[in-house]
Amino acid sequence: MSNPRAEDKRARSTAARLYAVQALFQMEASGQSADRVQREFQDYRIGVEHEGEISPEADENLFTRITDDAVTWQSKIDQSTDRALVAKWPIERIDPVLRALFRAAGAELVTPSTPPRVVITEYVRLAQAFFPDGREPKFVNAVLDHMAHSLRPEAFN
């Protein structure tokens, strides 16, 4: 039997991850600070009605934690991503949406709050939403698996 509270919590966590990827993409594209982009999302995007559509509610604490940690740990996350990518294909050369996705996932992998397998599953699902017809979800799965083993090896013993 399904638990509506658990499903709502999961949906809010998934939405927080989606918004975090979008926010990180926006921060990189616009050069805006994390604080400014977070406020914009909280005031104008998360759970807000726009043109008759209501955007999903999100776990705003998770959203803020992911974006803050992605900024704080960006160098470590990017180095881990670079090691998981083909040597001749550094993170700067990959699609900016994928870069934002790897940084958001990396932020969750750097801290032990969420099990790595959950992080991988959630971000592969997001990759499927962003790239429904491409190979990117399999690529994301492989890169995140490598990153998870590198950043959180204790979780795989």
Side-chain angles (χ1 to χ4, degrees):
M1 194 150 187
S2 67
N3 179 341
R5 278 183 110 165
E7 287 176 18
D8 181 58
K9 184 178 189 308
R10 196 171 314 124
R12 290 170 61 89
S13 295
T14 297
R17 290 177 175 106
L18 170 64
Y19 290 130
V21 171
Q22 292 172 334
L24 291 168
F25 175 88
Q26 181 176 327
M27 288 164 48
E28 181 178 351
S30 69
Q32 294 173 319
S33 71
D35 288 343
R36 183 171 179 181
V37 173
Q38 287 168 345
R39 275 194 310 279
E40 178 185 322
F41 272 74
Q42 291 161 339
D43 293 345
Y44 302 108
R45 297 198 189 179
I46 298 173
V48 175
E49 183 177 346
H50 180 69
E51 296 180 6
E53 296 284 322
I54 298 177
S55 45
E57 289 291 336
D59 178 337
E60 290 191 33
N61 290 329
L62 179 60
F63 165 75
T64 301
R65 192 181 85 229
I66 293 169
T67 53
D68 284 344
D69 287 352
V71 171
T72 300
W73 298 102
Q74 182 174 328
S75 178
K76 181 177 184 172
I77 294 165
D78 286 357
Q79 288 171 5
S80 179
T81 306
D82 276 341
R83 284 192 298 272
L85 295 169
V86 176
K88 296 178 183 134
W89 203 259
I91 191 168
E92 295 85 29
R93 292 189 58 198
I94 64 171
D95 182 281
V97 173
L98 287 175
R99 195 165 39 247
L101 192 143
F102 289 140
R103 287 177 177 155
E108 289 200 73
L109 291 171
V110 168
T111 59
S113 304
T114 307
R117 285 178 172 81
V118 172
V119 173
I120 293 167
T121 299
E122 285 289 308
Y123 286 95
V124 167
R125 284 187 186 143
L126 287 178
Q128 291 166 339
F130 283 115
F131 304 98
D133 300 322
R135 294 186 190 143
E136 290 86 351
K138 288 181 181 179
F139 174 65
V140 167
N141 186 58
V143 171
L144 292 182
D145 185 65
H146 187 281
M147 289 173 66
H149 279 82
S150 169
L151 293 169
R152 303 259 302 279
E154 74 285 353
F156 297 95
N157 293 335

